Amino acid sequence: LGFIAAVAAGVFAVQSADAVVNIQNIGAGARSSALGNSFVALADNGDAVFANPAGVAQIQRHELAYTNVSLLFEGIDGDNLGQHVASYVQPLGSRLGLGIGVERIGSDLLSENGGFLSLGYKLSSTLMVGVTGKYLFWSVDTIPDDPVNGPDPLSNTSNGAIGLDLGLLWKSPIQGAQIGVLLKNANEPNLAKTGGLGDDGALPMDLHVGASLLVAETSMVTVQWVVRDLTDETDSRVVVGGETRLVEGLMLRAGGSKLFQDDASGDLNAGLGYKRDKLLFDYGYHIPLDLTETNGAHRFSIGYVF
C-alpha cells in the first residue's frame, strides 16, 4: 500500500488544470489503463498488440482477452456508447510471436473501429522488435436531416485507412528493468481523405518512450514519455504507473499523466487484478481531471491463458 501511495503522490504532483481526451488514445485493457497507459516498457500481455508489438515476442503462452468499457458519459439516451476490445497472442517458435486485436469505440450512430495484426521478433535474448499493421475505419449511421441545412453530408458514410506501428523492447542489464519504444501511426494514415474532410482525418505520428522496473519481488513501477503529433509536438505528457501484489493472485494498481500545455492537466487511474488458475480478471478506473463531472470510465477485462 505504501508503494501505491507513493505512485499516487507522484501522479498528483504533476497535475495542473485541464485534460485532453482523445478517442485514439484512451487505452485498451483494464491493466494497462489502470497503470495510466504507461505500458510501452511492459507489453507483457494481449495489450502489446496496441501498446508495443515488440512485446508480443516475449509472451510464451497463448492468451485470449476481452475488455468492455463504460465510457465517460452515457451520451445520447439509448445510443449505447461504449468500447469493446479483444486480443489474442501466441508464440510462433522461440523467437517469433503473433498478436491479433480488434477494437470498437462509439455508439449506434457513430463508431471508430480497428483490426490489428502484430508480429514480434527476438533479435537476441534482450532485444525485441515488432510491427503492427492495422486497418482503422469510422462509420456513421443515418443522421436526421436538419430542417434548415438539409441532409448531413456524413450521414450513412464510412472511410478507413491502413496504419503502421513500430516497436522496440530492451531488457537492460539491470535486473527487472526494461526500456520500450513505440512509433505509433508511422505512416500517418488519413481516415477522411475520401470522406469529404480533406486532411482533417490524418492521424498524427506519436512517439512513446518508457522504462519499467521491478521493485523487490512484489511491485513494479513504470514511467512513460509520450509526444503526440511528433512533427508538431502539439501534445506531450509524462505518465507514471505502478502495481503491487497485496496477497497471492491479487494486484493493486495506480497511475496517471501530466500534459505539458497551457491550462492542461491529465488524468488519474486505479485498478485491481486477480488471477485464478488460467483466468485473469482486471478492473481499471480512469477519470480526466477536467471532466470529473462525467464520473470517469470503468474498464473490465477477462483473460484466459493456456
Side-chain angles (χ1 to χ4, degrees):
L1 289 175
F3 172 75
I4 291 296
V7 171
V11 170
F12 276 111
V14 296
Q15 302 302 329
S16 52
D18 297 318
V20 174
V21 178
N22 188 287
I23 201 169
Q24 295 289 336
N25 292 276
I26 64 173
R31 180 180 176 225
S32 59
S33 177
L35 294 171
N37 292 316
S38 180
F39 205 66
V40 70
L42 290 175
D44 57 359
N45 64 14
D47 277 354
V49 174
F50 311 102
N52 185 353
V56 173
Q58 69 176 333
I59 297 173
Q60 299 179 354
R61 302 179 68 181
H62 300 66
E63 182 173 332
L64 182 66
Y66 168 73
T67 299
N68 181 271
V69 187
S70 173
L71 287 178
L72 301 176
F73 46 86
E74 295 181 358
I76 302 171
D77 288 343
D79 209 28
N80 297 322
L81 180 66
Q83 183 184 11
H84 304 272
V85 183
S87 63
Y88 171 74
V89 291
Q90 72 166 64
L92 297 175
S94 60
R95 288 183 175 269
L96 190 64
L98 169 71
I100 300 172
V102 293
E103 180 179 19
R104 182 187 186 277
I105 178 172
S107 67
D108 292 339
L109 178 64
L110 169 66
S111 65
E112 295 186 9
N113 312 271
F116 302 76
L117 178 63
S118 300
L119 288 174
Y121 183 74
K122 284 185 179 181
L123 295 175
S124 68
S125 60
T126 59
L127 183 62
M128 290 158 276
V129 295
V131 58
T132 293
K134 55 189 181 182
Y135 182 67
L136 306 172
F137 67 98
W138 53 265
S139 177
V140 180
D141 206 342
T142 303
I143 300 176
D145 292 348
D146 188 294
V148 176
N149 300 316
D152 192 299
L154 289 179
S155 184
N156 295 308
T157 59
S158 65
N159 196 55
I162 295 175
L164 188 70
D165 298 340
L166 305 174
L168 179 146
L169 190 64
W170 178 54
K171 296 181 182 293
S172 79
I174 302 173
Q175 186 174 2
Q178 297 188 160
I179 303 294
V181 179
L182 174 72
L183 188 62
K184 185 176 181 179
N185 302 320
N187 62 329
E188 298 185 276
N190 192 331
L191 274 69
K193 185 168 292 185
T194 60
L197 298 179
D199 292 333
D200 291 342
L203 298 181
M205 184 188 309
D206 300 349
L207 177 65
H208 300 237
V209 180
S212 64
L213 177 66
L214 289 177
V215 181
E217 295 182 357
T218 59
S219 302
M220 176 278 303
V221 65
T222 176
V223 180
Q224 185 166 316
W225 175 259
V226 180
V227 179
R228 179 159 173 78
D229 198 349
L230 189 58
T231 55
D232 294 332
E233 295 188 28
T234 57
D235 173 3
S236 61
R237 70 185 69 190
V238 63
V239 188
V240 179
E243 67 180 10
T244 189
R245 189 172 69 221
L246 298 178
V247 295
E248 187 65 32
L250 182 62
M251 304 296 293
L252 175 65
R253 303 176 180 122
S257 68
K258 152 73 177 171
L259 305 187
F260 292 98
Q261 294 175 285
D262 293 338
D263 299 323
S265 60
D267 53 15
L268 291 176
N269 304 267
L272 294 168
Y274 179 68
K275 181 177 181 181
R276 182 177 177 85
D277 298 326
K278 296 182 179 181
L279 289 174
L280 305 171
F281 302 93
D282 293 293
Y283 166 74
Y285 175 73
H286 161 262
I287 188 165
L289 294 182
D290 67 340
L291 292 173
T292 54
E293 65 274 11
T294 65
N295 298 318
H298 303 275
R299 194 172 300 257
F300 302 90
S301 297
I302 182 170
Y304 180 66
V305 179
F306 57 100

